Amino acid sequence: MEQAWTHTTVLLKEAVEALLPDASRASGTYVDATFGRGGHSRAILERLAPAGRLIAYDKDAEAVAEAARIEDARFSIRHQGFKDVGELPPASVAGLLMDLGISSPQIDNPARGFSFRFDGPLDMRMDTTRGESVAEWLATAEPQQIAEVIRDYGEERFAVQIAKAIAARRQERGPISTTAELAELVAGAVKTREPGQNPATRTFQALRIFINAELEELQQALEASLTVLQPQGRLAVISFHSLEDRIVKQFIAKHSREVYDRRAPFAAPKAMKLKALGRVKPSKAEVDGNPRARSAILRVAERTTDA
Ligand SMILES: C[S@@+](CC[C@H](N)C(=O)[O-])C[C@H]1O[C@@H](n2cnc3c(N)ncnc32)[C@H](O)[C@@H]1O
């Protein structure tokens, strides 16, 4: 029998309220760019009027299969990366939600290869229907490239040592194919351990971000939001680590200021495209009940009216 993996939605009430703050907006079109197991989607549907629409995206075929069980004419799901939200008509979206990263069903299922806590094939793709797995990439990547990925996306001090260990192992015994093999190899190469953290934490995070092009796709979706959001449309993004949050924070900050053209100092500034509406962290009660919520940050902004 197939195991039913569950996901506890993070910042459920806060994100949905930020996206759809009052009933006057309930007939709009909303986007849940990261369906997962649909916690946010179902709460958005509860608030939507009959004329409202919810378009969901997920790269993961299992998430899409779960979404297919929602019988609601206002809802549709796309098995696509959210980098493609720019395909939606300009100024058509009243609210865009992104709850970044991976879901519990992904990390808790050893067969997906996301976790060093269970042994499984070293895969880590959100979309297993296309692209290279981590094992395939590590089998041929240059040690320098491996080191850069682990350093840049894992902020790992021992990135060079880990990359060298991977290359040496490849030469001696062939490529790494399982999560346990990689976790063991990293543990041998990381010299000082952070208290309470598995030595492989940073490396696994880095490889996952890289293989799924997570930061590039986030940047693309944020840029696209400026086009697809209608005036007063809301952008709500939940991030789980500093690399993601920095991108979201800088994007909102950049578009929340008037831009002066230095070559035309007397010209009127270009109007800002977003109004920052602040940031929300989970309550202590939420973190106590769901430790995976501990690093979450929700940032909210509203699309301004183009001048
Ligand atoms: C944290 S979970 C979302 C959980 C969801 N909000 C819920 O309540 O069930 C993130 C989901 O987004 C998906 N995902 C991550 N990056 C994506 C991307 N670039 N495009 C589409 N889906 C993505 C993952 O496959 C995963 O299912």
Side-chain angles (χ1 to χ4, degrees):
M1 203 184 85
E2 213 169 85
Q3 188 160 351
W5 311 100
T6 58
H7 179 83
T8 305
T9 299
V10 172
L11 290 165
L12 175 60
K13 195 163 153 277
E14 294 85 345
V16 174
E17 266 170 18
L19 204 68
L20 213 169
D22 57 67
S24 71
R25 300 176 183 229
S27 296
T29 296
Y30 290 82
V31 174
D32 178 356
T34 49
F35 179 83
R37 285 300 177 271
H40 287 115
S41 275
R42 288 184 178 86
I44 294 167
L45 285 169
E46 272 172 28
R47 286 192 164 217
L48 274 188
R53 291 282 170 274
L54 175 62
I55 302 166
Y57 287 75
D58 208 295
K59 279 180 158 185
D60 190 311
E62 289 170 19
V64 173
E66 172 70 22
R69 293 170 34 174
I70 297 183
E71 287 179 21
D72 188 319
R74 301 168 302 171
F75 176 76
S76 59
I77 178 78
R78 300 179 179 201
H79 185 203
Q80 244 173 307
F82 58 54
K83 67 176 188 335
D84 295 335
V85 288
E87 291 172 358
L88 298 172
S92 65
V93 173
L96 169 64
L97 171 68
M98 285 188 264
D99 176 16
L100 300 170
I102 45 177
S103 65
S104 300
Q106 289 168 325
I107 194 145
D108 292 339
N109 181 354
R112 302 299 301 271
F114 281 106
S115 178
F116 46 77
R117 287 184 292 122
F118 321 106
D119 195 14
L122 186 59
D123 192 328
M124 296 202 210
R125 282 171 301 164
M126 290 179 190
D127 186 350
T128 52
T129 65
R130 63 195 99 194
E132 259 186 339
S133 68
V134 167
E136 285 166 335
W137 183 71
L138 284 180
T140 56
E142 292 295 329
Q144 193 192 333
Q145 202 189 355
I146 299 174
E148 277 171 20
V149 165
I150 296 175
R151 187 195 59 215
D152 295 352
Y153 297 146
E155 297 177 310
E156 169 63 71
R157 282 190 295 141
F158 297 102
V160 170
Q161 289 88 330
I162 295 168
K164 280 187 181 157
I166 291 171
R169 137 86 210 221
R170 220 162 54 180
Q171 268 207 315
E172 286 157 20
R173 289 191 284 142
I176 301 167
S177 58
T178 70
T179 51
E181 283 172 333
L182 178 63
E184 198 189 317
L185 195 120
V186 173
V190 168
K191 299 294 171 227
T192 49
R193 297 179 178 220
E194 291 164 73
Q197 200 181 72
N198 186 297
T201 305
R202 291 174 176 277
T203 300
F204 272 65
Q205 172 188 300
L207 292 169
R208 189 201 94 200
I209 291 174
F210 170 74
I211 216 71
N212 293 293
E214 290 182 35
L215 303 184
E216 291 80 358
E217 295 203 6
L218 170 60
Q219 193 70 51
Q220 279 173 277
L222 290 172
E223 295 293 342
S225 75
L226 296 176
T227 309
V228 300
L229 283 173
Q230 60 199 41
Q232 272 102 53
R234 295 275 176 101
L235 173 68
V237 188
I238 303 171
S239 60
F240 289 86
H241 56 77
S242 56
L243 296 175
E244 284 170 349
D245 185 53
R246 198 175 306 145
I247 291 174
V248 179
K249 184 176 154 182
Q250 288 177 354
F251 177 81
I252 293 177
K254 175 179 168 193
H255 292 287
S256 304
R257 352 176 238 271
E258 292 179 327
V259 180
Y260 289 87
D261 184 346
R262 284 202 213 138
R263 289 158 306 174
F266 302 110
K270 275 198 210 138
M272 57 200 205
K273 292 185 185 275
L274 292 173
K275 184 171 143 202
L277 297 183
R279 120 200 137 143
V280 183
K281 287 187 176 185
S283 64
K284 183 176 177 307
E286 178 169 0
V287 176
D288 287 346
N290 179 17
R292 285 181 184 170
R294 67 186 176 280
S295 48
I297 299 181
L298 164 68
R299 291 191 188 268
V300 187
E302 188 169 275
R303 183 75 170 91
T304 54
T305 310
D306 281 326

